[in-house]
Amino acid sequence: MKTHTYSCSRTCTHTNLGKQATANARESLEWGTKIIGGVTPGREGEHLGLPVLPNVRKAMEVLKPDATGIYVAAHQATGAIEEAIEAEVPLIVAVAEHIPLHDMLRIHSILKTQSTCRLVGANSPGIISAVGKCRIGFQPLPCFEPGRIGIVARSGTLSYETAASTLRSGLGQSMCIGVGGDILPGTSIREGLQILVEDNDTEGIALIGEIGGDAELEAADWIREYRAKTTNPKPIAALIGGVKAVPGRIMGHAGAFALPGEPSALDKIEALKGVGAAIVNHPSRFGPVLKSMLSGSTPTGAGVATSGGISQRREMHTIARRPVSARLVLPKGVNSQKRTLYITQSAAFDLLRRHGVSIAEKANPGAQKLLAVTVNRSTRSPCVIASPSSDASEAAKFDFAYGASGNPDVSVAALAEHMRLDASSADSLGQAISALVAVFAEKEAFLLETRVVPNNNGDRTTIELAAARFGFDDAAFRSCGRQADAQGLRDAVAEDPAEVGVVEKDGIVYIKLEDGDIGTLVNGAGLAMNTVDALADAGGRAANFLDTGGKATSETVKRSFEVILTDPRVKCIFVNIFGGLTRGDMIADGIVMAFRDLRMSVPVVVRIRGTNEKEGQRIIAESGLPLFAFDDFDEAAAKAIELAKEGLHL
């Protein structure tokens, strides 16, 4: 493991491993990022002509960096983050995906004990200052040039296309903060906004959020306060992915799903629109919209929505805090996601019986109350969620300290009162909570959702469980080899073979959608969510969500086509690729090869943007195959919708 130390306007560090990371460091150096050294455990010497030290603490003493970028794989990343915290590196940027949730809970419990270090990530593309020529991350450099727009984003691919849009509009970027798609990111969207409004080079802001958590609602609260106290507030435009997300599914990113009581994507859109942010439905619109806002004009046109002024919509944020309750019944195939593992209700009941919890044989649905153990994304802590009914909109959160293995520091009396339970139920309720917390810790769960019913026995009330929905963090097994026994509880019967077959092994996330006829193939979870949403706005119906995993190679394209074509509803395939980390011409070659190898009979519409986009479009156009190449999203979407309606087979 190597840690390369960078210097931007200040100095920064970055943890690397292998040839790819060295190439990244060399590229960053050539761009202008100042790298002042690195770390290889137990060794000293040189790398890329820079000093290499044996540990981060010595690097801090000798090189005095201000930030570290951690590039190691998930199973090493937790230790690297902890080492950076112990060395008191001020800024820690973690790019690794699939760090186990409970490892991140431990990291956040450590961060809460100090005030020196800030964490960005995990599962983040990093931070880049186009003005300061500093990159701590893996952002595609051709998309970034010094300019006026600050970007704060949960999605890497959406942030790249947003950067490209600002370039096309002649605006460029000041800074891009990738908070990342993790369940518990170290830096929030609200904190990113604060940084950007205080940055003198930033004149306008692009905010990119998505389904999952309350971060965008908290950002809306912050924007309201900022606009109220600022004479000339910086214009803010926003995009939220996941309007068409499947309830109960993880849409590519680890954190892209809604826990009980969390808002929908539409709730977030209304909240942001209500505090004066212009809403766009596609990242290519950010440049024109922000250019219009900076000139003092109200942005208009397809795919753009505004409130008409903050004073008209102050009530919208309150409305948005009343989400529809998440369903307890799992959609078919919900346990196929690589970050989650759901088990059958009977298996969940067996786990609880081992902890002495009573299970109701029969229960009146109207008497059931919500009781769950999960994470509070706002406080980055584990918590108990309780509601006096089965409706999550009435739920309250009760945080407890990480490390509790069955005796959480929550007030059972307060829980009972909120659930409108008799005071005599405290002992039984406490036992149920202790059992849930014990399973949460032992099995590394992300959600243990139950329905409880009170059982009156004369002078006292006991609690019985009537339903259970248990989800465990599959990353603990896949990244670190823990929780192997939990894999045996996987409910294979409920899984769709197309969603978990070869594509899951290849890192491709494929989810079938209802009532669609256009297959989608996209590189990046945020861009894939947005593609489904934007197609719907254009009048189309996506048959699936498919994220190739950030890079679209000829092999992943071929695998993706294969799985999409297992769905007989698909009349056309829409390939929407942003060539950031992978060049557009390489992607185009892969599409042509896959089309020929598979002898496809379904027409394919290809939109390639980003690095080498013109060459990629030329390869598609001159292939002699029924492939339709476009630069503009709206034109590509219109063609895909037209072909799907015609239902042509080649």
Side-chain angles (χ1 to χ4, degrees):
M1 181 175 72
K2 294 180 180 178
T3 304
H4 291 290
T5 305
Y6 286 77
S7 174
C8 307
S9 53
R10 303 189 300 169
T11 53
C12 345
T13 62
H14 159 120
T15 301
N16 264 329
L17 181 67
K19 294 180 181 179
Q20 185 174 1
T22 296
N24 175 276
R26 185 176 289 111
E27 185 181 58
S28 294
L29 277 166
E30 293 170 353
W31 192 62
T33 303
K34 182 183 176 185
I35 301 176
I36 60 175
V39 171
T40 297
R43 292 173 53 191
E44 294 190 56
E46 285 192 358
H47 186 67
L48 297 178
L50 301 169
V52 175
L53 298 169
N55 56 60
V56 177
R57 183 170 295 281
K58 188 165 184 180
M60 282 296 294
E61 294 171 357
V62 176
L63 303 174
K64 296 179 173 56
D66 291 304
T68 181
I70 296 174
Y71 274 59
V72 296
H75 69 283
Q76 297 173 311
T78 306
I81 295 170
E82 290 181 357
E83 185 182 3
I85 296 170
E86 290 170 0
E88 297 187 331
V89 183
L91 176 63
I92 304 165
V93 180
V95 305
E97 191 176 5
H98 305 309
I99 298 178
L101 170 63
H102 284 245
D103 287 1
M104 291 307 302
L105 282 170
R106 183 173 75 252
I107 290 294
H108 287 300
S109 72
I110 296 170
L111 286 168
K112 290 173 184 177
T113 66
Q114 55 82 59
S115 58
T116 302
C117 307
R118 170 186 289 279
L119 173 66
V120 174
N123 192 10
S124 164
I127 300 177
I128 185 168
S129 170
V131 172
K133 288 294 181 179
C134 175
R135 176 176 76 162
I136 316 174
F138 52 80
Q139 304 89 342
L141 292 175
C143 299
F144 292 89
E145 290 185 8
R148 306 161 64 189
I149 303 302
I151 303 169
V152 57
R154 289 175 66 176
S155 163
T157 46
L158 286 177
S159 71
Y160 310 153
E161 182 150 2
T162 299
S165 176
T166 64
L167 275 186
R168 285 173 177 254
S169 296
L171 298 174
Q173 315 88 28
S174 52
M175 184 187 305
C176 179
I177 303 170
V179 300
D182 208 58
I183 300 174
L184 298 175
T187 294
S188 68
I189 291 176
R190 176 183 58 78
E191 291 166 329
L193 288 172
Q194 182 71 53
I195 292 167
L196 293 176
V197 299
E198 293 174 357
D199 175 43
N200 292 332
D201 295 314
T202 298
E203 298 178 30
I205 298 172
L207 183 163
I208 301 166
E210 60 190 32
I211 188 71
D214 292 307
E216 293 80 2
L217 296 190
E218 292 163 2
D221 280 338
W222 183 92
I223 293 169
R224 178 186 289 108
E225 294 174 6
Y226 164 66
R227 290 175 63 97
K229 65 184 181 184
T230 306
T231 303
N232 294 304
K234 297 179 181 182
I236 299 172
L239 180 152
I240 303 296
V243 173
K244 296 297 182 180
V246 180
R249 303 301 298 269
I250 290 185
M251 307 302 290
H253 286 155
F257 66 98
L259 290 165
E262 290 183 341
S264 69
L266 286 174
D267 293 326
K268 296 180 179 189
I269 288 170
E270 290 302 315
L272 288 164
K273 188 166 64 173
V275 296
I279 305 299
V280 301
N281 74 339
H282 193 270
S284 63
R285 306 193 199 282
F286 269 118
V289 165
L290 284 166
K291 189 171 187 176
S292 175
M293 296 175 80
L294 286 168
S295 70
S297 303
T298 299
T300 59
V304 181
T306 62
S307 66
I310 185 172
S311 60
Q312 299 177 24
R313 298 292 292 276
R314 286 186 178 270
E315 78 286 357
M316 289 304 297
H317 189 59
T318 302
I319 293 173
R321 285 198 180 276
R322 297 177 182 172
V324 176
S325 174
R327 293 183 297 167
L328 181 60
V329 179
L330 297 181
K332 182 180 180 182
V334 73
N335 53 340
S336 66
Q337 292 304 291
K338 60 184 177 182
R339 264 310 291 249
T340 62
L341 169 68
Y342 281 92
I343 64 175
T344 63
Q345 181 167 275
S346 61
F349 282 165
D350 287 343
L351 286 174
L352 292 172
R353 287 191 182 99
R354 294 173 199 168
H355 288 271
V357 177
S358 297
I359 306 300
E361 296 298 328
K362 293 182 181 181
N364 177 6
Q368 295 179 13
K369 302 173 185 290
L370 170 65
L371 180 66
V373 174
T374 183
V375 290
N376 184 336
R377 304 199 213 202
S378 298
T379 61
R380 304 174 181 121
S381 299
C383 72
V384 177
I385 295 180
S387 172
S389 70
S390 60
D391 188 349
S393 68
E394 299 182 82
K397 295 179 181 179
F398 299 80
D399 288 2
F400 60 88
Y402 169 78
S405 58
N407 295 300
D409 51 344
V410 297
S411 170
V412 176
L415 273 159
E417 181 179 0
H418 181 75
M419 297 176 75
R420 298 175 197 151
L421 288 169
D422 188 298
S424 66
S425 67
D427 288 345
S428 181
L429 179 61
Q431 183 181 12
I433 293 169
S434 293
L436 288 170
V437 170
V439 174
F440 181 79
E442 292 168 6
K443 300 297 183 185
E444 299 192 53
F446 73 91
L447 173 64
L448 303 180
E449 183 180 357
T450 70
R451 297 293 185 268
V452 302
V453 290
N455 185 12
N456 296 316
N457 297 313
D459 60 347
R460 70 192 208 54
T461 301
T462 58
I463 296 299
E464 293 183 331
L465 267 65
R469 176 195 184 199
F470 283 13
F472 304 108
D473 181 18
D474 207 17
F477 176 75
R478 294 179 182 270
S479 298
C480 299
R482 303 194 301 257
Q483 304 298 341
D485 60 332
Q487 298 296 311
L489 300 175
R490 188 169 184 169
D491 183 15
V493 175
E495 299 182 16
D496 187 320
E499 295 185 339
V500 298
V502 176
V503 290
E504 185 183 68
K505 296 176 183 177
D506 289 338
I508 298 168
V509 180
Y510 170 77
I511 301 172
K512 283 186 180 179
L513 305 177
E514 293 183 1
D515 302 325
D517 54 12
I518 300 175
T520 64
L521 190 164
V522 189
N523 63 328
L527 190 61
M529 275 190 283
N530 177 250
T531 299
V532 172
D533 294 344
L535 265 176
D537 284 349
R541 301 174 302 164
N544 65 275
F545 164 102
L546 189 146
D547 168 23
T548 64
K551 287 188 177 181
T553 65
S554 58
E555 189 59 29
T556 58
V557 168
K558 184 175 180 179
R559 296 288 193 192
S560 299
F561 279 155
E562 286 175 338
V563 72
I564 291 170
L565 292 173
T566 63
D567 186 346
R569 301 173 302 162
V570 171
K571 303 297 188 296
C572 172
I573 297 177
F574 181 28
V575 179
N576 186 25
I577 298 291
F578 188 83
L581 304 178
T582 305
R583 299 198 318 266
D585 54 339
M586 292 177 61
I587 295 166
D589 282 335
I591 292 169
V592 171
M593 288 173 59
F595 194 98
R596 286 174 173 156
D597 288 349
L598 297 175
R599 298 179 181 179
M600 292 173 59
S601 60
V602 172
V604 177
V605 174
V606 183
R607 175 184 180 263
I608 297 178
R609 290 288 291 270
T611 311
N612 288 10
E613 62 183 52
K614 295 300 181 184
E615 179 63 12
Q617 291 159 11
R618 184 195 64 77
I619 291 170
I620 295 295
E622 297 178 3
S623 67
L625 299 172
L627 302 171
F628 302 86
F630 292 89
D631 172 84
D632 180 73
F633 178 87
D634 293 330
E635 293 177 357
K639 185 63 176 179
I641 293 167
E642 174 193 331
L643 292 170
K645 287 180 178 178
E646 292 175 355
L648 297 177
H649 280 265
L650 309 174

